[in-house]
Amino acid sequence: MVDYDDAKTKEEGLGEVGHPGLYNGANENDGSYHWQVIPITRNSTDAYFGAMPSEQAKVDNKYYTTMYTAFPYECLDGVKAYTVDKINADGTVHLKEITSGKMPSKTAVVLACNSTKPNENRLLPLLEEPAKVEGTNLLTGEIWLKDESKTEDKYRTKFDASTMRVLGNTTGSFDNVNNSDVLEGTGSTGTLTYIKNNTCYLDVSNVENAAASYTLTTKEPVKAIDGYYRIQNGYGITENNGKSEDGHYVQVTDAAWAAPNQTADETKTEPGSVIYLKATPVSDDMLRVENLRSQGIEVVGGTARKDFMELYNSLGDMTDEQRYEYLRKAQQEGYIFTGRALLEAGIYAVANELVKGYEAPEGVKTLSSEFNKQIADVLDIDMYMTRTQLSNGQEAWTLKEHVLNFDKISDFVTKNMSRFQEGFKAMRKVWGTTTGETIEAYEVKTLSDLGYNIKDDKTLSSGTYPVTLSADGSCQTSYEAIFTHPELLYYWLKLNVWKMLNNPDNYKDALHSMTGSDYLYNAFKELGGHETVMRYIRRLHYDTDYYLIDGYVSNGAEGNEGDQYTNLGRFGFCNNNTTSSYYPAELSTAKDGGKWVLKQVTADNDSYFGIKASDKFQGLDGHYYSTLCVDFPIDVTKCSEGLHFYSVDGNLGEAETRNYSDGQTWTYRYITLNEIKDIVPAGLPVIVETENTDASKNRIVPVVSNQTYEGTTLLKGIFFNAGKSNADDSYGSVIENIMENLFDYQYNNMADALNHRYGISYDVNTQKIYTLQKNAKDTHNPMGFYHYSGTSLSHNKAFMVIDNSAVPAGAKIYFGYQGGTITSIDNINVDTTQPHTDAIYDLQGRRVAKPMQGGIYIINGKKVIITK
């Protein structure tokens, strides 16, 4: 076999190409006619087959190329092979690794190599065919064999830019452009002809509106999240090597206060750091938060979204006090950004007047429900999580919300303009044409300061309802024009909210006329004095994403945020824009301060939650007792050994007075405890028995469960501190206490505080609160529930509310028994020597003739365990 001179063909773009063939006239003494067979082995250094990607086809630290061969092979030297199993809407293609490293023949793959040298990217041909690669592969390979006797393209594939993308050696992505290193043709730009031999192309024939280019990703699509986590801000991990002063873990500490200011050690014993998170995928790297809850407060989603929408749609039918609660509800149940909640209150106020009107025909009122549906659609209170990385490579998430887009509202008004005329008349009656429809020159400047240059909006000068700019700098418009130009509508509302915050007294009568009460006037008056509110409203812009961060981004110059990041251990927000002169990019300035790390709560050393019992509450049996009420279900089977959880039966036992031989006399009223051995339902107040006070040895494990408690219980529980001393303080808010006055309730006693904050029915005149305490004077049964005369209750604890007539003066509520299981914390002696000749009683007081070994009985007034 020789390479004879006349066996040549002309190949397009390559010139003359020689072909091996048989030559009968060969001289056996001529060395060129002899062939040496060199095996390609795993250890070959000079006889090898390898991949040779381009220097430019580098993504991160890998070089990429495609491969398609007629023989099977195994990847050596750390080369990894991938199929393409998915084309994503975000312009990426997902590479699925062939983990065996062995490629069957005619398998189209992408190879990730460590260098551009083939001897460092070896592919070992195999004699045996590996197992077929399962699953979808959107790559198609080309071997390119040409029939020399025919002129048609029988064995090679023409490139079609409408249905094919090839891995360009100058881009590292799948493109629809010519690349002479990959594509055979004339070599001229844009005159691509054939796919190169032994390469692959990406088939996009079934992709609607296929992108011109697709980048590579090996990330697996994000999976749904449903569990209990701690959330730590990235600043506390990378900026201070995880040893920052406050740790930056999120903790919920009140009905309207949460902050990333908790240390790692504090998270171990503070229930407010245990956060239920449920999120579902909306793309390969993004999740929609369905529920974010801790301490009974659903910050995002869940019933909070449902409750808020019901609240919003029913505002017009509420009383003055109920409407005044609007902002409180918006802040407490579903909103992190108070400025946004206030803007939406303003939207409601105007929209309510628009569709309701004064002395308007009945037909206008029927427009209300339809219009509110449009508003509900744009009030998207969803939060989204996008997968990212900290600067150290650790997986993290950004959390964002989207500020309003009014296209749907404007479209609805445009289509129903005739029906809105009566509403516009009503608005003119309240506001007048000067206040509502003329934008004065100073207001035009204010709009510019707030992020909207009305002079640059070219859409305003045309259409059915144009806006006219006057020579004096003012702007003459109309409600028709305002409500049919969505961006103008947003900033017009923002302008009016801004004016009312700065000078609420100027608008008191108008606000009262709109709502029939002073609830909005009071809200604007109270909030206008908070600089944080004013700063955040300035920074809320139309149709913009905002991201939750720890601290804030600013250089101190209004309208020019984005130069400096300040960490505070408090929530803030920033944008991620790149073009606007009003609000440049801020998320990139926050860096890891704008990213959040999830850590699932387990029984492991670094992620447990434990009960730190007090040594003051040690029973005579040596065990420690406490009460607990947490927002998450507990999987008892996975908790530390020695932990026991008891519910309390809903009925009190009869009062009983005991006279002891040592002269002590005590009156008890028994309760019945029932041990829970599987799941403690979320929110169920319980008594907890531990063998020590060390939280690391008393670990409890949250579990996602819908299990409920069957029956009644005397215990009540709270998630936050409550009482006179606490109720006299203002509530906190999520952002720098900006709604303190709105949440400021003054209570005369703890009963009022509990009623207001937790819905716990408690009459201070006829009832008393009982809490778990220890009476050192009672040497027989010191532990029990005693009347509590203090002024505050601790968070996540349980207590009882008992009628005064139910418990005799000086009596205590004492632990009882259920089903023969020891649940008392009375004195227990282990008796191994007593011959048991005295009268023996079981725990129900019945005399026993033959006690069983291992049983607990009462002998001579003491409980003993019979061991023999």
Side-chain angles (χ1 to χ4, degrees), residues 87-89 91 93 160-165 174-176 202-214:
I87 299 176
N88 300 316
V93 291
D160 183 348
S162 66
T163 61
M164 299 177 183
R165 302 291 181 268
F174 280 97
D175 305 313
N176 66 351
L202 178 68
D203 184 358
V204 296
S205 58
N206 293 322
V207 179
E208 185 176 355
N209 299 320
S213 180
Y214 289 95

Side-chain angles (χ1 to χ4, degrees), residues 14 154 188 212 283 320 360 387 390 393 508 536 596 619 645 688 707:
L14 299 178
K154 185 175 181 181
S188 301
S283 71
D320 180 15
R387 181 170 56 186
L390 300 181
K508 182 175 182 179
Y536 283 173
W596 304 87
F645 301 87
V688 183
Q707 185 163 319

Side-chain angles (χ1 to χ4, degrees), residues 43-205:
N43 299 318
S44 297
T45 56
D46 54 355
Y48 57 83
F49 169 68
M52 189 169 66
S54 166
E55 185 75 33
Q56 288 75 34
K58 187 176 182 180
V59 180
D60 295 329
N61 61 343
K62 296 291 184 180
Y63 299 87
Y64 288 86
T65 188
T66 61
M67 184 65 68
Y68 188 73
T69 64
F71 56 85
Y73 60 88
E74 179 182 355
C75 296
L76 304 180
D77 304 324
V79 174
K80 292 187 177 181
Y82 303 87
T83 58
V84 174
D85 65 344
K86 187 176 181 181
I87 299 176
N88 300 316
D90 62 358
T92 61
V93 291
H94 181 253
L95 304 184
K96 182 179 181 181
E97 185 179 357
I98 302 174
T99 55
S100 68
K102 296 180 179 181
M103 282 352 93
S105 57
K106 296 184 178 181
T107 300
V109 295
V110 173
L111 298 179
C113 305
N114 297 314
S115 76
T116 61
K117 300 176 182 179
N119 63 326
E120 295 177 357
N121 304 315
R122 292 176 301 155
L123 308 175
L124 176 66
L126 300 175
L127 295 177
E128 295 184 2
E129 192 74 23
K132 181 182 177 181
V133 177
E134 299 295 334
T136 301
N137 188 4
L138 300 176
L139 294 175
T140 301
E142 174 64 60
I143 291 181
W144 189 34
L145 298 175
K146 184 177 180 181
D147 188 337
E148 298 175 20
S149 65
K150 300 183 181 295
T151 58
E152 66 267 22
D153 300 313
K154 185 175 181 181
Y155 295 103
R156 56 184 181 178
T157 303
K158 281 191 173 183
F159 177 75
D160 183 348
S162 66
T163 61
M164 299 177 183
R165 302 291 181 268
V166 291
L167 189 64
N169 278 357
T170 59
T171 61
S173 59
F174 280 97
D175 305 313
N176 66 351
V177 297
N178 184 15
N179 185 313
S180 59
D181 287 339
V182 175
L183 306 158
E184 296 298 346
T186 64
S188 301
T189 302
T191 58
L192 180 63
T193 306
Y194 299 113
I195 301 293
K196 185 180 178 182
N197 59 297
N198 301 110
T199 65
C200 313
Y201 65 86
L202 178 68
D203 184 358
V204 296
S205 58

Side-chain angles (χ1 to χ4, degrees), residues 86 88 90 92-95 216-225 279-289 383-390 393-400 547 576 587 594-598:
K86 187 176 181 181
N88 300 316
D90 62 358
T92 61
V93 291
H94 181 253
L95 304 184
L216 313 179
T217 178
T218 57
K219 291 181 180 178
E220 292 297 325
V222 293
K223 296 180 180 180
I225 294 175
T280 55
V282 294
S283 71
D284 280 1
D285 279 309
M286 184 181 292
L287 299 166
R288 177 188 292 109
V289 178
M383 176 177 281
Y384 296 90
M385 304 169 55
T386 302
R387 181 170 56 186
T388 184
Q389 288 184 337
L390 300 181
Q394 184 176 352
E395 182 179 86
W397 302 84
T398 58
L399 301 177
K400 75 172 183 180
Y547 292 78
N576 191 30
L587 186 61
K595 301 172 184 177
W596 304 87
V597 174
L598 303 181

